[in-house]
Short mmCIF file of all heavy atoms in Angstrom, two decimals:
data_model
loop_
_atom_site.label_atom_id
_atom_site.label_comp_id
_atom_site.label_asym_id
_atom_site.label_seq_id
_atom_site.Cartn_x
_atom_site.Cartn_y
_atom_site.Cartn_z
N THR L 31 -14.74 25.12 -11.12
CA THR L 31 -15.98 25.54 -10.45
C THR L 31 -16.79 24.31 -10.06
O THR L 31 -16.95 23.39 -10.87
CB THR L 31 -16.81 26.53 -11.30
OG1 THR L 31 -17.11 25.87 -12.52
CG2 THR L 31 -16.03 27.77 -11.57
N GLN L 32 -17.36 24.38 -8.87
CA GLN L 32 -18.18 23.29 -8.34
C GLN L 32 -19.49 23.81 -7.86
O GLN L 32 -19.58 24.94 -7.33
CB GLN L 32 -17.45 22.55 -7.21
CG GLN L 32 -16.19 21.82 -7.63
CD GLN L 32 -15.65 20.99 -6.49
OE1 GLN L 32 -14.52 21.20 -6.06
NE2 GLN L 32 -16.40 19.99 -6.04
N PRO L 34 -23.40 22.31 -5.99
CA PRO L 34 -23.55 23.52 -5.16
C PRO L 34 -22.38 23.67 -4.21
O PRO L 34 -21.51 22.81 -4.13
CB PRO L 34 -24.86 23.24 -4.42
CG PRO L 34 -24.88 21.79 -4.25
CD PRO L 34 -24.28 21.23 -5.51
N THR L 46 -26.23 14.64 -6.38
CA THR L 46 -25.42 14.85 -7.58
C THR L 46 -24.62 16.12 -7.41
O THR L 46 -25.20 17.19 -7.14
CB THR L 46 -26.28 14.95 -8.86
OG1 THR L 46 -27.00 13.73 -9.03
CG2 THR L 46 -25.43 15.22 -10.06
N PRO L 51 -14.24 21.94 -15.25
CA PRO L 51 -12.80 22.05 -15.15
C PRO L 51 -12.34 23.38 -15.76
O PRO L 51 -13.11 24.10 -16.41
CB PRO L 51 -12.28 20.89 -15.96
CG PRO L 51 -13.37 20.63 -17.00
CD PRO L 51 -14.67 20.97 -16.28
N ILE L 52 -11.09 23.67 -15.55
CA ILE L 52 -10.46 24.81 -16.20
C ILE L 52 -10.51 24.56 -17.70
O ILE L 52 -10.33 23.46 -18.18
CB ILE L 52 -9.00 24.95 -15.73
CG1 ILE L 52 -8.96 25.37 -14.25
CG2 ILE L 52 -8.21 25.94 -16.59
CD1 ILE L 52 -7.60 25.36 -13.62
N LEU L 65 -13.27 15.97 7.64
CA LEU L 65 -12.66 16.94 8.50
C LEU L 65 -11.41 16.42 9.22
O LEU L 65 -11.43 15.34 9.79
CB LEU L 65 -13.70 17.43 9.55
CG LEU L 65 -13.38 18.71 10.30
CD1 LEU L 65 -13.29 19.88 9.36
CD2 LEU L 65 -14.42 18.92 11.40
N GLY L 66 -10.32 17.19 9.08
CA GLY L 66 -9.08 16.80 9.74
C GLY L 66 -8.24 15.77 8.97
O GLY L 66 -7.19 15.34 9.51
N PHE L 71 -8.84 10.01 -2.85
CA PHE L 71 -9.20 9.86 -4.28
C PHE L 71 -10.41 8.98 -4.42
O PHE L 71 -10.52 7.89 -3.88
CB PHE L 71 -8.00 9.27 -4.98
CG PHE L 71 -8.29 8.87 -6.43
CD1 PHE L 71 -8.56 9.83 -7.40
CD2 PHE L 71 -8.27 7.56 -6.81
CE1 PHE L 71 -8.78 9.48 -8.71
CE2 PHE L 71 -8.51 7.17 -8.11
CZ PHE L 71 -8.76 8.17 -9.07
N GLU L 79 -13.93 8.84 -20.15
CA GLU L 79 -13.80 7.45 -19.68
C GLU L 79 -13.17 7.41 -18.29
O GLU L 79 -12.29 8.22 -17.97
CB GLU L 79 -12.94 6.60 -20.62
CG GLU L 79 -13.59 6.38 -21.98
CD GLU L 79 -12.81 5.37 -22.82
OE1 GLU L 79 -11.90 4.71 -22.26
OE2 GLU L 79 -13.12 5.24 -24.02
N ARG L 89 -21.92 2.71 -4.37
CA ARG L 89 -22.91 3.81 -4.23
C ARG L 89 -22.39 5.10 -4.87
O ARG L 89 -23.14 6.00 -5.17
CB ARG L 89 -23.18 4.08 -2.75
CG ARG L 89 -23.77 2.93 -1.98
CD ARG L 89 -24.11 3.33 -0.55
NE ARG L 89 -22.93 3.70 0.25
CZ ARG L 89 -22.63 4.97 0.62
NH1 ARG L 89 -23.43 5.98 0.25
NH2 ARG L 89 -21.59 5.20 1.36
N ALA L 92 -19.71 8.27 -11.19
CA ALA L 92 -19.37 9.57 -11.79
C ALA L 92 -19.48 9.42 -13.34
O ALA L 92 -19.49 8.30 -13.86
CB ALA L 92 -18.03 10.08 -11.37
N ASN L 97 -18.10 18.14 -22.92
CA ASN L 97 -17.44 19.43 -22.66
C ASN L 97 -16.46 19.32 -21.47
O ASN L 97 -15.96 20.33 -20.98
CB ASN L 97 -18.46 20.55 -22.37
CG ASN L 97 -19.25 20.30 -21.10
OD1 ASN L 97 -19.13 19.23 -20.45
ND2 ASN L 97 -20.08 21.25 -20.74
N SER L 99 -16.92 18.60 -18.43
CA SER L 99 -17.50 18.77 -17.11
C SER L 99 -17.82 17.38 -16.56
O SER L 99 -17.87 16.38 -17.30
CB SER L 99 -18.75 19.64 -17.13
OG SER L 99 -19.80 19.04 -17.81
N GLU L 101 -19.93 14.98 -13.26
CA GLU L 101 -20.85 14.82 -12.14
C GLU L 101 -20.40 13.64 -11.26
O GLU L 101 -19.91 12.65 -11.77
CB GLU L 101 -22.28 14.50 -12.64
CG GLU L 101 -23.04 15.63 -13.25
CD GLU L 101 -24.45 15.25 -13.69
OE1 GLU L 101 -24.79 14.03 -13.63
OE2 GLU L 101 -25.22 16.13 -14.04
N TYR L 115 -16.39 17.54 -0.79
CA TYR L 115 -16.10 16.82 -2.02
C TYR L 115 -15.40 17.79 -2.97
O TYR L 115 -15.98 18.82 -3.37
CB TYR L 115 -17.38 16.24 -2.62
CG TYR L 115 -17.87 15.07 -1.81
CD1 TYR L 115 -18.67 15.28 -0.69
CD2 TYR L 115 -17.48 13.76 -2.14
CE1 TYR L 115 -19.09 14.20 0.08
CE2 TYR L 115 -17.91 12.71 -1.35
CZ TYR L 115 -18.69 12.92 -0.24
OH TYR L 115 -19.06 11.88 0.53
N ALA L 118 -10.89 18.22 -9.10
CA ALA L 118 -9.63 18.72 -9.56
C ALA L 118 -9.48 18.46 -11.04
O ALA L 118 -9.93 17.41 -11.54
CB ALA L 118 -8.47 18.07 -8.79
N ARG L 120 -6.81 18.74 -14.63
CA ARG L 120 -5.47 18.88 -15.18
C ARG L 120 -5.62 18.75 -16.68
O ARG L 120 -6.63 18.24 -17.18
CB ARG L 120 -4.53 17.89 -14.60
CG ARG L 120 -4.87 16.44 -14.92
CD ARG L 120 -4.16 15.47 -14.05
NE ARG L 120 -2.72 15.63 -14.04
CZ ARG L 120 -1.94 14.93 -13.21
NH1 ARG L 120 -2.43 14.13 -12.33
NH2 ARG L 120 -0.63 15.11 -13.26
N ASP L 122 -3.91 16.90 -18.97
CA ASP L 122 -3.95 15.53 -19.45
C ASP L 122 -4.14 14.55 -18.32
O ASP L 122 -4.18 14.97 -17.16
CB ASP L 122 -2.64 15.20 -20.23
CG ASP L 122 -2.57 16.05 -21.47
OD1 ASP L 122 -3.49 15.98 -22.28
OD2 ASP L 122 -1.55 16.76 -21.61
N ARG L 123 -4.16 13.27 -18.59
CA ARG L 123 -4.52 12.30 -17.56
C ARG L 123 -3.35 11.96 -16.63
O ARG L 123 -3.57 11.49 -15.54
CB ARG L 123 -5.09 11.03 -18.18
CG ARG L 123 -4.08 10.27 -18.98
CD ARG L 123 -4.71 9.00 -19.51
NE ARG L 123 -3.79 8.23 -20.35
CZ ARG L 123 -4.08 7.07 -20.85
NH1 ARG L 123 -5.27 6.50 -20.65
NH2 ARG L 123 -3.22 6.42 -21.61
N GLN L 127 1.95 17.29 -14.38
CA GLN L 127 1.19 18.55 -14.23
C GLN L 127 0.47 18.52 -12.92
O GLN L 127 -0.09 17.52 -12.50
CB GLN L 127 0.18 18.69 -15.36
CG GLN L 127 0.80 18.65 -16.73
CD GLN L 127 -0.19 18.12 -17.77
OE1 GLN L 127 -1.35 17.88 -17.46
NE2 GLN L 127 0.29 17.90 -18.99
N GLY L 132 -11.09 22.79 -7.20
CA GLY L 132 -12.19 23.74 -6.92
C GLY L 132 -12.35 23.88 -5.41
O GLY L 132 -11.68 23.23 -4.63
N THR L 135 -17.67 21.01 -2.64
CA THR L 135 -19.05 21.02 -2.13
C THR L 135 -19.07 20.42 -0.78
O THR L 135 -18.60 19.29 -0.59
CB THR L 135 -19.98 20.17 -3.09
OG1 THR L 135 -20.06 20.78 -4.38
CG2 THR L 135 -21.36 20.07 -2.51
N LEU L 137 -20.95 18.64 1.89
CA LEU L 137 -22.15 17.78 2.00
C LEU L 137 -22.37 17.42 3.44
O LEU L 137 -21.42 16.83 4.06
CB LEU L 137 -22.02 16.57 1.10
CG LEU L 137 -23.12 15.51 1.18
CD1 LEU L 137 -24.45 16.12 0.69
CD2 LEU L 137 -22.79 14.31 0.37
#
Side-chain angles (χ1 to χ4, degrees):
Chain L
T31 57
Q32 294 187 242
T46 298
I52 292 172
L65 195 63
F71 173 68
E79 291 189 12
R89 298 185 296 109
N97 66 353
S99 67
E101 286 182 351
Y115 289 84
R120 63 196 305 173
D122 294 305
R123 65 178 179 176
Q127 302 152 7
T135 295
L137 176 64

